[in-house]
Amino acid sequence: MQRIVQISDTHLSPTKRHFADNWAPLTDWLAAQAPDLVIHTGDVTVDGADVDEDMRHCRALLDTLGAPVLSIPGNHDVGEAYHPHQPVNEARLGRWRQHLGEDFWIRDIEDWRLIGLNAMLFGSDEAEEKRQLAWLDRQIAEAQGRRLGWFLHRPLFVEAPDEGDMGYWSVPPWPRAHLLDLVRRHEVAFVASGHLHRAHDFTVAGTRYIWGPSSGFVVGPELQPGMAGTTTLGAVSYAFDGRDFTAEIHEISALKTLWIDDVIHEVYPPRAA
């Protein structure tokens, strides 16, 4: 049996320390869990998309966890498609890879192939988006009968697989349609994500969708449209035994409930157009 913990949306920085107090209780909880692997589903940093020191700081913190760590980038780590100030591009991807490793990857455990995807490339029309999709096809084709589980930062959808463009909150419709086709055809068992700072666990067409909660902060209704899930702060634990798996969302009571709404103009000040 292999045990994995998914953490997400830590939003850490050596200079903007608004959410730093939640790192120690998170690491204490992780030590008690003693996982074989930690998977961070993005927004590791406050602003690693532009600030090298945020990346260096977070790399050092992840190295203290006492377990192997695989991470996938969020929008605050590498930017996002067509963003006016922080578009995902070669320079930002290079910074991520230098400090935190590959931005998409596989890990085979038990009778499973776990696939980490860089959701910030979807809809970007960057060459790296095409490379990732070709790579994904190969990893599925070469899985040799292993069951598949995906990890990515931004969820494929928020309300329904066929929803329209949800903008900031999920993968755009046209790349989503292709990814959902892969999910259906290859019977992907679960798709785990972060980004929403909400905890939710539901099943659509036989695939389990798990929204991993943030361990950094929660988001109030004025900044986030009403959506399913809860404003839990915590993590998700997974256990893989042969072809079986379990997943459980944990609320970590020692985490302090911090609201981005209270400090957003300090952490992410508005920029001129």
Side-chain angles (χ1 to χ4, degrees):
M1 179 181 291
Q2 293 280 306
R3 299 179 67 253
I4 291 176
V5 170
Q6 174 194 356
I7 61 175
S8 201
D9 297 270
T10 46
H11 290 263
L12 295 167
S13 167
T15 54
K16 295 183 176 181
R17 300 184 57 82
H18 299 71
F19 317 114
D21 286 350
N22 276 338
W23 179 249
L26 174 65
T27 59
D28 289 344
W29 183 86
L30 283 169
Q33 296 291 309
D36 299 294
L37 175 67
V38 175
I39 294 177
H40 197 312
T41 46
D43 282 354
V44 183
T45 67
V46 166
D47 197 22
D50 280 339
V51 181
D52 281 275
E53 190 52 40
D54 276 18
M55 287 289 193
R56 282 191 288 270
H57 177 72
C58 288
R59 174 75 270 168
L61 291 176
L62 293 175
D63 287 344
T64 68
L65 291 182
V69 181
L70 290 172
S71 302
I72 44 179
N75 47 297
H76 292 293
D77 301 317
V78 297
E80 57 188 294
Y82 294 103
H83 192 279
H85 303 293
Q86 289 184 329
V88 60
N89 58 26
E90 290 185 11
R92 293 190 168 96
L93 293 171
R95 183 181 296 116
W96 169 275
R97 292 165 183 163
Q98 176 187 351
H99 295 287
L100 293 180
E102 293 299 321
D103 53 310
F104 48 93
W105 42 258
I106 63 164
R107 175 62 64 95
D108 292 339
I109 60 169
E110 298 284 324
D111 295 328
W112 288 80
R113 171 156 289 186
L114 305 181
I115 300 177
L117 295 170
N118 181 353
M120 309 325 301
L121 287 171
F122 297 136
S124 69
D125 299 316
E126 291 285 317
E128 285 296 279
E129 178 180 17
K130 295 178 182 177
R131 186 172 78 89
Q132 178 176 224
L133 290 173
W135 170 91
L136 177 58
D137 286 341
R138 289 196 306 275
Q139 302 312 317
I140 292 172
E142 297 169 2
Q144 297 180 325
R146 296 181 180 94
R147 297 189 73 190
L148 302 175
W150 290 5
F151 291 87
L152 69 166
H153 179 63
R154 187 173 273 171
L156 295 181
F157 59 90
V158 174
E159 296 177 353
D162 60 352
E163 69 193 12
D165 192 341
M166 299 295 283
Y168 175 81
W169 301 107
S170 66
V171 171
W174 72 260
R176 180 204 310 149
H178 172 67
L179 294 164
L180 287 172
D181 180 60
L182 292 177
V183 167
R184 288 187 291 265
R185 285 195 289 118
H186 299 286
E187 298 180 344
V188 174
F190 67 88
V191 177
S193 57
H195 186 56
L196 300 182
H197 292 248
R198 302 186 70 78
H200 196 31
D201 185 347
F202 61 103
T203 299
V204 175
T207 295
R208 193 166 166 185
Y209 292 86
I210 300 167
W211 297 355
S214 169
S215 63
F217 61 81
V218 290
V219 184
E222 292 194 5
L223 295 179
Q224 184 180 64
M227 59 181 66
T230 64
T231 52
T232 302
L233 285 173
V236 188
S237 66
Y238 301 80
F240 298 89
D241 186 2
R243 294 182 64 79
D244 297 326
F245 88 106
T246 61
E248 181 181 359
I249 294 171
H250 298 267
E251 181 175 5
I252 301 175
S253 60
L255 294 174
K256 183 179 180 181
T257 301
L258 303 171
W259 296 86
I260 185 64
D261 312 52
D262 296 334
V263 294
I264 190 166
H265 290 294
E266 297 174 18
V267 181
Y268 297 115
R271 306 192 210 200

